[in-house]
Amino acid sequence: MSKKANLAKAMRNKKDEFYTSLSDIEQEMKHYRKYFKGKTVYLNCDDPRASKFFHYFSYGFEYLGLRRLIASCYKNSQKDFFSKHNEDRAIWLEYTGEKNGGKVPTCEEIGVNEFEGDGDFRSKDSIDLLKQADIVVTNPPFSLFREYMEQLQEYGKKFLVIGNFNAVSYKEISSLIRLNKVWLGINPGALGVMYFDMPGGGG
């Protein structure tokens, strides 16, 4: 099955993805605050118009001491579980902090950019953004979890991502756990999901 067919299948399957609650994000992230100072964070599977990850990192930008926040998602013309909007072009957003003395990010402070393609995390445009990131945080499509994790390993990125608990049984994931390259997060979330994190996060 082609990559596009796999992604289309994932989008049709409501059980393939769950938006992550803000409370689950806060409960896990409180353990990693020190690792984010001065870092560029990329949310590469997060529709910033609906993602609680984008809310958490944009509103907590100064608190975490971030250098830059980037968010993007796969373009979907259907208003379904993956995207609440119908857009002509896939977009990615960039936020570099509060500029007007307020306490919350405003539309004027968030740069909106168009992808040449569809915003798939495997696309050249998305990979170019991935290369600029220090840490990747997201909730990727569960059916593409193996491929997603392989990409993070290929580009040597630190990460905090959510996967279905069954992912621990995948050969590719269990081997990374045994090698201490990936571990389960501190607070397993709701709906049978589990956090994974990459060690050595201080550098």
Side-chain angles (χ1 to χ4, degrees):
M1 185 177 290
S2 71
K3 290 182 179 180
K4 294 295 181 187
N6 262 334
L7 191 56
K9 179 181 178 182
M11 291 170 62
R12 288 193 301 269
N13 184 357
K14 301 296 186 187
K15 295 180 181 179
D16 192 61
E17 180 66 279
F18 295 95
Y19 280 115
T20 312
S21 73
L22 185 59
S23 61
D24 279 346
I25 294 168
E26 291 171 339
Q27 283 300 307
E28 187 70 17
M29 279 297 303
K30 68 183 181 182
H31 302 285
Y32 308 108
R33 178 187 171 191
K34 64 181 180 180
Y35 298 120
F36 284 81
K37 186 175 182 179
K39 303 298 185 183
T40 293
V41 174
Y42 186 24
L43 318 173
N44 62 346
C45 293
D46 286 86
D47 185 336
R49 299 154 295 197
S51 168
K52 298 302 183 186
F53 280 114
F54 184 75
H55 177 96
Y56 175 85
F57 283 104
S58 61
Y59 277 71
F61 192 94
E62 280 77 21
Y63 172 75
L64 294 166
L66 298 183
R67 180 166 63 91
R68 185 180 176 208
L69 175 64
I70 309 168
S72 68
C73 67
Y74 179 79
K75 176 187 176 296
N76 180 18
S77 61
Q78 302 300 316
K79 296 182 181 181
D80 65 6
F81 204 69
F82 268 69
S83 178
K84 305 301 182 185
H85 301 268
N86 186 342
E87 300 290 337
D88 292 331
R89 298 290 297 272
I91 61 170
W92 60 275
L93 303 188
E94 179 179 26
Y95 181 58
T96 56
E98 175 58 46
K99 303 292 190 302
N100 301 320
K103 295 184 178 180
V104 298
T106 63
C107 295
E108 292 76 21
E109 296 167 333
I110 299 173
V112 180
N113 308 276
E114 291 187 344
F115 278 119
E116 289 295 323
D118 58 14
D120 186 319
F121 70 85
R122 300 161 294 187
S123 68
K124 180 183 181 303
D125 289 343
S126 186
I127 290 173
D128 285 344
L129 292 174
L130 176 67
K131 290 176 180 177
Q132 300 172 39
D134 299 302
I135 306 174
V136 180
V137 183
T138 197
N139 181 2
F142 294 160
S143 66
L144 300 175
F145 194 75
R146 289 183 179 91
E147 191 168 356
Y148 185 83
M149 293 291 285
E150 287 172 3
Q151 184 187 79
L152 293 178
Q153 296 298 310
E154 178 183 353
Y155 289 94
K157 294 300 175 181
K158 296 179 175 68
F159 59 88
L160 194 157
V161 300
I162 297 176
N164 187 293
F165 185 77
N166 292 331
V168 299
S169 66
Y170 299 165
K171 179 178 68 175
E172 301 87 345
I173 305 302
S174 60
S175 64
L176 291 172
I177 294 173
R178 286 195 303 272
L179 292 170
N180 202 32
K181 291 185 176 181
V182 168
W183 66 71
L184 302 183
I186 294 169
N187 293 303
L191 300 172
V193 300
M194 186 69 75
Y195 292 82
F196 294 83
D197 191 20
M198 193 173 194

